[in-house]
Amino acid sequence: MSLLHLSFYSAFTLSSLGLAFHRTHLISALLCLESMMLSLYMTLSIWPVENQVTSPTLMPVLMLAFSACEAGTGLAMLVASTRTHGSDHLHNLNLLQC
């Protein structure tokens, strides 16, 4: 495993661990999701270069589009929850109280 692979795997692992253990604010969960998407995007962008594929792949562009949609939806949820509940703490968001 090269150093490049190790850095992408460790970035994805650290962001998923951050998502699992730091669950106090919605903004920190969204940042962990964005870092996961960034590491996946970088991996998908480097993959054709390493495998010496001459045709361009569409997967990095699709991943970037889904990441932008996820970020927009997450920020809309952040604004909506802050307006209704007064804060972005995840323990205030309960589906049974909606």
Side-chain angles (χ1 to χ4, degrees):
M1 181 184 322
S2 69
L3 187 61
L4 189 65
H5 286 119
L6 181 65
S7 65
F8 290 145
Y9 292 147
S10 64
F12 186 81
T13 304
L14 286 175
S15 59
S16 62
L17 285 174
L19 183 63
F21 292 127
H22 299 290
R23 299 175 68 160
T24 57
H25 294 282
L26 184 59
I27 191 72
S28 64
L30 290 174
L31 282 173
C32 289
L33 282 174
E34 284 301 315
S35 63
M36 288 171 69
M37 288 294 162
L38 181 64
S39 65
L40 283 175
Y41 172 73
M42 294 293 287
T43 303
L44 286 174
S45 296
I46 297 295
W47 181 71
V49 174
E50 288 182 347
N51 292 334
Q52 297 169 348
V53 177
T54 58
S55 65
T57 60
L58 192 61
M59 282 302 287
V61 176
L62 288 175
M63 178 64 70
L64 198 60
F66 284 130
S67 176
C69 292
E70 179 257 334
T73 306
L75 288 176
M77 285 176 31
L78 177 70
V79 169
S81 69
T82 304
R83 284 184 180 173
T84 57
H85 298 307
S87 69
D88 68 333
H89 290 282
L90 288 177
H91 64 83
N92 289 341
L93 302 176
N94 190 359
L95 288 177
L96 298 176
Q97 292 177 351
C98 292

